[in-house]
Amino acid sequence: MKRAVVEEDRVRVGVFGGTFNPIHIAHLRAAEEVAEHFRLDRVLFVPSANPPHKTARDLAPASQRLAMVRMAIAGNPRFRASSLELRRRGWSYSVDTLRALRQRLGPRADLYFILGQDAFREIDTWHEYEQLFWLAHFVVTSRPPHGAKAEKSLLPVAVRSRFCYLPGRRGFVNDRGYRIHFYDVTALDISSSDIRARAARGASIRYLVPPGVRDYIARHRLYR
Ligand code: ATP
Ligand code: MG
């Protein structure tokens, strides 16, 4: 009885980072499916202000990328936009974001760090990446052309020995109880790079982004 109360007391918070340059419907759909499956109370969309891995050429200002995120998630009571990385100086590192959220949300919150398989494959290039696995659960979503296969060889070598397989759960758990889940979402082969390329040549981006985002891009002449 006591255990059940404790379990219900916990808050499950998804953290979905990205450049969101711009946010598109595959981001939204992936977050929706993850929130539903993992029974998340909310999902924070955290646009990266100064992404260490992206070149600045056609990167819209962080404030505009945040404005588009806000517009895209309006009306979804579970989704929130976070300006956390815009308020910090220097490079935007996920490890700093997760630490800040841990601090702010306190011990009752369970963090679920959401990212696509393509991003997860490069995680060993991220700043202090090993720490990430001791701050949050991971949900690695499929992204065309990759399925979300749960294979130990996908885990970074440096942390592999600390995880063991979760039978029947398509995932792994480490010695502190943090899990890595591999989760298949509806395959939508959409990318922000493709949307920017279309906008640049004056082609339609309708139905790839929410209507408000499309209007915003047109009005502010982004990605021309
Ligand atoms: P870009 O082409 O500029 O890299 P992107 O479409 O990859 O943009 P990001 O902002 O880089 O978008 O991605 C944020 C997160 O969303 C990443 O973890 C990425 O793997 C995930 N993601 C992006 N597009 C998809 C998609 N079509 N399906 C599933 N996950 C996606
Ligand atoms: Mg990307």
Side-chain angles (χ1 to χ4, degrees):
M1 192 61 199
K2 205 168 174 200
R3 257 192 82 82
V5 172
V6 169
E7 194 47 38
E8 267 166 37
D9 246 20
R10 302 201 64 78
V11 189
R12 301 153 75 95
V13 181
V15 181
F16 192 15
T19 324
F20 301 127
N21 184 38
I23 189 165
H24 52 66
I25 61 159
H27 293 132
L28 295 163
R29 187 63 210 168
E32 178 72 3
E33 292 183 14
V34 168
E36 185 173 47
H37 183 82
F38 293 92
R39 292 178 291 118
L40 303 183
D41 296 291
R42 48 184 191 273
V43 177
L44 301 178
F45 287 71
V46 191
S48 173
N50 301 303
H53 288 290
K54 301 265 168 147
T55 50
R57 198 172 43 86
D58 56 358
L59 185 63
S63 57
Q64 294 193 321
R65 289 182 284 115
L66 176 65
M68 291 189 279
V69 168
R70 289 212 166 103
M71 224 169 272
I73 66 173
N76 186 326
R78 257 199 301 216
F79 287 1
R80 302 264 197 300
S82 168
S83 58
L84 203 75
E85 295 192 356
L86 279 74
R87 288 182 269 119
R88 225 167 41 213
R89 285 166 185 284
W91 296 119
S92 305
Y93 295 127
S94 296
V95 70
D96 295 331
T97 301
L98 290 181
R99 282 189 185 125
L101 288 172
R102 276 252 65 97
Q103 188 89 22
R104 187 199 296 174
L105 301 173
R108 284 203 314 119
D110 287 326
L111 302 180
Y112 287 74
F113 188 57
I114 304 165
L115 75 178
Q117 180 96 274
D118 61 310
F120 186 71
R121 275 165 188 258
E122 292 175 0
I123 200 150
D124 59 357
T125 66
W126 295 17
H127 183 64
E128 288 184 38
Y129 74 95
E130 291 173 45
Q131 297 307 313
L132 296 170
F133 297 102
W134 281 266
L135 284 163
H137 301 299
F138 270 61
V139 179
V140 182
T141 65
S142 52
R143 177 176 191 179
H146 304 294
K149 262 190 276 164
E151 278 171 11
K152 208 160 190 185
S153 61
L154 294 172
L155 308 190
V157 182
V159 302
R160 212 174 275 172
S161 66
R162 306 205 34 189
F163 280 90
C164 52
Y165 191 63
L166 272 171
R169 300 276 304 272
R170 290 174 46 85
F172 301 87
V173 62
N174 69 18
D175 41 12
R176 289 197 214 155
Y178 287 102
R179 302 183 299 271
I180 302 177
H181 297 280
F182 289 84
Y183 189 63
D184 270 316
V185 294
T186 300
L188 295 168
D189 197 358
I190 296 171
S191 69
S192 305
S193 337
D194 173 66
I195 291 165
R196 293 193 302 275
R198 285 175 199 270
R201 60 175 190 266
S204 164
I205 58 168
R206 184 181 285 186
Y207 310 128
L208 293 173
V209 297
V213 173
R214 173 172 164 258
D215 292 344
Y216 189 95
I217 290 171
R219 195 152 21 96
H220 293 269
R221 305 178 63 79
L222 297 182
Y223 314 123
R224 290 297 178 90

